[in-house]
């Protein structure tokens, strides 16, 4: 079919589309904007819209994370009460390092680049500076509250059609410390309902530097609702929070929001597909709505599920991770922490696809469950 795209139910080439509109922005495209109000005042972003109804904001001022994420006007990404907070308001070391929670909002909040998970004071002797013997890290590290630099926001036309592309880089650096750079490319086909993330983290410094990485992918109502199911190729559950054992809320079928529920966190062990990817899905059959997340199992070998089902903050987090849930110190002790030499890099590829209709939901479940069955031992461990 060449460059034929499905635009509002019609199969059109680029030429045929341009015959019908003087501006491609009529059906989808990119728009650079700046927020003016509230805690987000000053945040720069690129709005991305596709003809299929996918619409999301790339927060340039917050490491190119994804804030608002909607499909045909329906919110898919989670919205917390914090708003998309300008990084200039971020208090990294306040509240014992937990102040990260004051800027925790949106579909994607990236954790890293040298630390993820809970606060830690780690050895810094690898930086060879006698006055800085340790490095202190707050919850989920620094990268999510660092402004990035936009290098490209454009339509990319090929024989396959049009792809909307946003690219940039975010630098996390200190004198006598780390110098890590996140290069991020975000793609969405003009006629598509899928967002693709291609990240590359590179050590631009000349000291051997630790690297940890995690995506906090957060989904909210109405996708997250009573009866919404998590579908995943779980072979076992390596770890779960104490709250998961005592509250009686299953990991795989969600209840309505409840008062005073404590967050539940799991580290599930997943089986990779033949193509080397890991995939999970949230499916809401009642609404005919779902989302499938898929990522490279080599770069992100671990997976966490975060359930925050309390009234007023109703959310599910799907979290591909470079390391186990215990964090950086156990990873160092076990020899599992990744170290990047000068110029060395790691690439991460992830897709987030919105699903609509019973056929699409069933197909996603079949893809994920193919060859994996239903491991009762793992399911029981997670209840």
């Amino acid at each position: 079919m060449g460059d034929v795209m499905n635009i509002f139910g019609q199969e059109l080439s680029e030429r045929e589309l341009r015959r019908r509109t003087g501006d491609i922005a009529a059906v989808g495209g990119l728009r650079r904007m700046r927020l003016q109000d509230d805690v987000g005042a000053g945040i720069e972003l690129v709005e991305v819209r596709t003809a299929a109804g996918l619409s999301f904001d790339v927060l340039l001022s917050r490491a190119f994370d994804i804030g608002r994420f909607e499909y045909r006007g329906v919110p898919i990404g989670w919205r917390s009460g914090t708003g998309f907070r300008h990084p200039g308001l971020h208090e990294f070391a306040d509240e014992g390092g937990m102040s990260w929670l004051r800027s925790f909002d949106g579909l994607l909040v990236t954790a890293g680049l040298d630390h993820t998970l809970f606060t830690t004071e780690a050895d810094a002797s690898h930086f060879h500076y006698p006055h800085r013997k340790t490095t202190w890290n707050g919850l989920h590290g620094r990268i999510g509250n660092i402004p990035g630099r936009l290098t490209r926001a454009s339509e990319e036309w090929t024989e396959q059609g049009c792809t909307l592309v946003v690219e940039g880089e975010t630098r996390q650096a200190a004198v006598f410390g780390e110098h890590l750079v996140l290069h991020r490319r975000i793609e969405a086909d003009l006629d598509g309902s899928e967002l693709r993330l291609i990240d590359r983290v590179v050590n631009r410094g000349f000291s051997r530097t630790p690297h940890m990485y995690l995506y906090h992918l957060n989904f909210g109502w109405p996708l997250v609702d009573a009866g919404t199911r998590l579908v995943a190729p779980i072979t076992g559950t390596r770890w779960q929070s104490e709250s998961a054992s005592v509250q009686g809320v299953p990991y795989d079928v969600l209840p309505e929001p409840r008062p005073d529920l404590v967050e539940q966190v799991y580290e599930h062990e997943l089986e990779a597909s033949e193509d080397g990817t890991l995939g999970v899905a949230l499916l809401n059959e009642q609404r005919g709505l779902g989302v499938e997340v898929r990522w490279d199992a080599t770069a992100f070998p671990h997976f966490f599920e975060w359930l925050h089902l309390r009234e007023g903050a109703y959310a599910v987090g799907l979290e591909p991770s470079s390391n186990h849930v215990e964090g950086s110190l156990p990873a160092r002790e076990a020899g599992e922490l990744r170290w990047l030499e000068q110029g060395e890099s790691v690439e991460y590829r992830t897709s987030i696809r919105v699903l609509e209709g019973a056929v699409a939901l069933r197909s996603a479940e079949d893809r994920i469950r193919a060859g994996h069955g239903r491991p009762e031992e793992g399911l029981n461990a997670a209840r």
Side-chain angles (χ1 to χ4, degrees):
M1 296 292 288
D3 63 351
V4 171
M5 299 167 287
N6 187 306
I7 306 295
F8 305 145
Q10 288 186 256
E11 300 294 322
L12 300 174
S13 66
E14 178 187 355
R15 182 176 184 277
E16 289 302 316
L17 176 59
R18 292 190 184 278
R19 288 184 65 211
R20 287 161 172 78
T21 178
D23 190 348
I24 297 296
V27 294
L30 305 162
R31 181 168 59 170
R32 191 166 180 180
M33 307 169 69
R34 178 179 294 176
L35 301 183
Q36 299 294 329
D37 299 317
D38 203 35
V39 296
I43 283 183
E44 295 191 359
L45 61 88
V46 174
E47 177 193 70
V48 182
R49 295 179 300 111
T50 76
L54 188 65
S55 178
F56 58 90
D57 295 336
V58 180
L59 304 178
L60 310 183
S61 299
R62 289 181 49 167
F64 287 66
D65 277 346
I66 309 299
R68 181 187 61 88
F69 186 82
E70 300 176 352
Y71 182 69
R72 297 190 175 179
V74 176
I76 303 296
W78 177 56
R79 295 302 308 274
S80 79
T82 70
F84 300 127
R85 200 162 183 246
H86 192 282
L89 300 175
H90 183 55
E91 313 105 337
F92 179 72
D94 283 9
E95 302 179 81
M98 300 296 286
S99 56
W100 182 87
L101 296 171
R102 295 189 179 276
S103 58
F104 182 25
D105 195 6
L107 175 81
L108 168 62
V109 182
T110 304
L113 295 171
D114 59 340
H115 172 80
T116 63
L117 300 154
F118 284 100
T119 57
T120 298
E121 187 161 1
D123 175 62
S125 61
H126 47 281
F127 293 126
H128 305 291
Y129 184 57
H131 302 291
R132 191 186 189 213
K133 299 184 184 300
T134 62
T135 298
W136 186 88
N137 294 290
L139 176 64
H140 284 318
R142 292 175 166 82
I143 191 63
N145 283 284
I146 299 177
R149 180 175 70 91
L150 180 67
T151 58
R152 182 184 182 193
S154 63
E155 302 163 0
E156 187 176 278
W157 292 89
T158 66
E159 291 183 357
Q160 284 70 47
C162 178
T163 301
L164 307 173
V165 177
V166 180
E167 287 186 285
E169 59 182 36
T170 306
R171 178 170 52 190
Q172 178 185 324
V175 176
F176 307 123
E178 77 279 7
H179 185 175
L180 298 170
V181 178
L182 165 61
H183 299 269
R184 173 164 286 174
R185 177 182 169 101
I186 298 165
E187 300 178 348
D189 295 331
L190 181 63
D191 61 345
S193 57
E194 178 183 84
L195 178 156
R196 297 183 293 275
L197 287 161
I198 302 98
D199 283 358
R200 184 169 63 92
V201 177
V202 59
N203 181 7
R204 291 299 181 199
F206 284 81
S207 297
R208 183 171 176 261
T209 300
H211 169 51
M212 299 180 71
Y213 208 47
L214 179 148
Y215 286 163
H216 221 297
L217 291 167
N218 310 298
F219 302 91
W221 183 86
L223 171 62
V224 173
D225 206 347
T228 297
R229 296 187 298 122
L230 172 73
V231 176
I234 297 173
T235 59
T237 297
R238 180 182 177 276
W239 183 91
Q240 62 184 25
S241 60
E242 182 179 354
S243 57
S245 304
V246 302
Q247 292 185 145
V249 176
Y251 86 95
D252 56 344
V253 182
L254 304 182
E256 292 185 347
R258 295 184 184 177
D260 302 324
L261 272 181
V262 178
E263 66 174 2
Q264 297 183 189
V265 182
Y266 307 84
E267 181 178 349
H268 297 305
E269 295 174 331
L270 306 183
E271 184 176 352
S273 300
E274 291 183 358
D275 63 0
T277 64
L278 294 169
V280 299
L282 284 175
L283 305 179
N284 184 328
E285 278 95 353
Q286 183 174 356
R287 290 186 178 271
L289 187 64
V291 67
E292 180 180 0
V293 181
R294 190 164 291 276
W295 63 91
D296 175 25
T298 301
F300 276 140
H302 309 292
F303 170 69
F304 313 146
E305 178 190 8
W306 177 67
L307 298 182
H308 189 24
L309 305 177
R310 185 182 299 183
E311 293 170 335
Y314 193 48
V316 173
L318 307 178
E319 305 177 36
S321 174
S322 63
N323 291 90
H324 288 301
V325 72
E326 292 88 354
S328 62
L329 291 184
R332 286 179 185 239
E333 294 168 0
E336 297 173 347
L337 186 64
R338 183 189 293 274
W339 293 81
L340 297 180
E341 303 291 346
Q342 196 282 325
E344 188 178 1
S345 65
V346 185
E347 185 171 273
Y348 301 86
R349 290 179 172 266
T350 305
S351 64
I352 304 160
R353 179 185 300 176
V354 179
L355 309 167
E356 183 180 33
V359 172
L361 269 62
R362 186 166 55 250
S363 295
E365 182 162 8
D366 289 344
R367 279 193 299 273
I368 291 168
R369 292 206 184 281
H372 303 300
R374 188 172 175 84
E376 295 298 332
E377 181 179 352
L379 290 169
N380 292 335
R383 291 185 183 275

